[in-house]
Amino acid sequence: MNAASSNAGVRRVAVIGGGTIGASWAAYFLAHGLEVVVSDPAPGAAEAIRTRIAEAWPVLTALGARADIDMNGWRFEADPVAAVAGADFVQENAPERYDVKQKLLPRIDAVLPPEVVIASSSSGLLASRISEGCRYPERCLIGHPFNPPHLIPLVEVVGGAKASRAAIDRAIAFYRAIGKSPIEIRKEVPGHVSNRLQAALWREAIYLVEQGVASVADVDAAISEGPGLRWALMGPHLTFHLGGGEGGMTQFLKHLLPAVESWWADLGTPNMTPELQQRLIDGIDQEAGGRSIDELQRWRDGLLMQIIALRQQAAAK
């Protein structure tokens, strides 16, 4: 079976922008047997991408990447127009700015057949705005991964006001075919869904630090040692459904909603003064305990890999 038949009709993917997110996407696509072309205008981009793919490869191999795939079997094109030639799907990862994307997307849109989806990895921009100037805005949408894309299954697909139903369906089918867990965001909102949820939680986490309720490390532990473990398995709605016992969500709402509503009323918005920002920085330094960003990422990704592997085993049963 070739890649086109097994991956929802997609054989070749063009990855436009080869930074942290783009290189991670490229590694993931490559590991699933796709032809991959990566484009990035930065000096030394090809070598930097090669290094990032090599760093991701052991994780992908451990999670079941095909043994016959060469991690160096991708192609680099500095020119994004040349990179999308012959592509069946485009994953765009340019800087998170409307002015950059509104210049880039029309260039690649102009040379692609109208049925080829252009998916942007944007973490918060609106799909209907980034496609301004395109001949076929109906094929442009958001395909926002959760970092790092080669490891985390979630992809948020946002069609917005202009993307066609066919383009949305093609994107979802493709992501699902390569092992992702795509969700459709049915209405455009800044930040989509996952980042808005993260932002809401972080706002309260900072507020608790500001008010002296707990330290940065203890606020983090309140999540990582508690609900965060459950959230690796189910989201807030299903979690609270179980919290209702035999009566499920009906019972939870009947008996616990008044308490939750009182907590909502007491949530705060921190005043992000320079002093508070420095408290957060100092608190993180203390929590990190001298570990570098690279060390923390390797520790995080190693444990995430084990969690994902356990989930895959459970699903297989």
Side-chain angles (χ1 to χ4, degrees):
M1 182 179 292
N2 61 36
S5 60
S6 62
N7 291 324
V10 174
R11 174 181 57 86
R12 178 181 296 173
V13 179
V15 177
I16 308 301
T20 301
I21 299 298
S24 180
W25 265 127
Y28 189 84
F29 293 143
L30 190 64
H32 283 77
L34 292 157
E35 295 180 26
V36 178
V37 183
V38 188
S39 177
D40 193 289
E47 191 54 41
I49 293 164
R50 194 174 309 280
T51 298
R52 292 188 179 108
I53 290 176
E55 290 171 348
W57 207 253
V59 172
L60 290 164
T61 301
L63 291 175
R66 282 172 32 190
D68 62 329
I69 294 174
D70 178 6
M71 70 175 181
N72 295 310
W74 56 281
R75 182 163 56 86
F76 180 80
E77 287 280 358
D79 179 9
V81 174
V84 301
D88 304 306
F89 192 91
V90 176
Q91 189 73 44
E92 173 269 310
N93 315 279
E96 187 79 350
R97 290 166 43 193
Y98 282 117
D99 61 327
V100 173
K101 294 181 187 292
Q102 288 168 348
K103 291 177 182 177
L104 172 63
L105 263 64
R107 291 182 62 199
I108 58 180
D109 166 78
V111 299
L112 284 167
E115 70 275 7
V116 175
V117 171
I118 301 174
S120 174
S121 293
S122 170
S123 59
L125 302 182
L126 304 183
S128 57
R129 285 195 59 189
I130 65 172
S131 64
E132 290 178 6
C134 290
R135 289 188 309 164
Y136 302 107
E138 63 273 13
R139 51 98 159 270
C140 300
L141 47 79
I142 301 296
H144 171 236
F146 217 64
N147 191 30
H150 70 272
L151 188 54
I152 305 296
L154 177 68
V155 182
E156 295 178 309
V157 177
V158 193
K162 298 177 182 177
S164 68
R165 184 72 251 170
I168 293 168
D169 289 344
R170 281 198 297 272
I172 289 174
F174 169 59
Y175 289 133
R176 186 170 289 130
I178 59 172
K180 288 294 185 181
S181 296
I183 63 171
E184 182 180 352
I185 312 303
R186 300 176 184 178
K187 181 179 179 180
E188 284 184 301
V189 289
H192 318 317
V193 169
S194 59
N195 277 336
R196 289 176 71 96
L197 292 171
Q198 284 198 120
L201 177 61
W202 194 36
R203 180 176 67 180
E204 183 61 19
I206 295 172
Y207 179 73
L208 292 170
V209 172
E210 179 190 46
Q211 296 299 307
V213 175
S215 69
V216 169
D218 284 348
V219 169
D220 278 1
I223 296 299
S224 65
E225 304 302 313
L229 295 172
R230 298 189 303 202
W231 292 341
L233 306 174
M234 59 185 68
H237 298 306
L238 193 55
T239 293
F240 289 139
H241 176 60
L242 293 186
E246 291 298 324
M249 181 60 79
T250 301
Q251 187 77 359
F252 184 91
L253 294 174
K254 181 178 179 180
H255 290 281
L256 293 174
L257 181 58
V260 173
E261 287 180 318
S262 73
W263 304 336
W264 287 342
D266 195 51
L267 297 178
T269 300
N271 181 15
M272 294 296 287
T273 63
E275 293 76 18
L276 178 56
Q277 293 180 47
Q278 191 60 50
R279 284 174 64 187
L280 297 177
I281 293 167
D282 293 342
I284 282 295
D285 287 344
Q286 184 176 5
E287 185 179 358
R291 291 174 292 175
S292 69
I293 294 292
D294 285 343
E295 289 173 322
L296 288 168
Q297 286 179 338
R298 286 195 296 271
W299 172 80
R300 177 200 65 186
D301 291 354
L303 290 176
L304 281 173
M305 182 180 67
Q306 294 178 51
I307 293 170
I308 292 168
L310 286 172
R311 285 167 49 118
Q312 289 176 342
Q313 293 170 20
K317 294 178 182 178

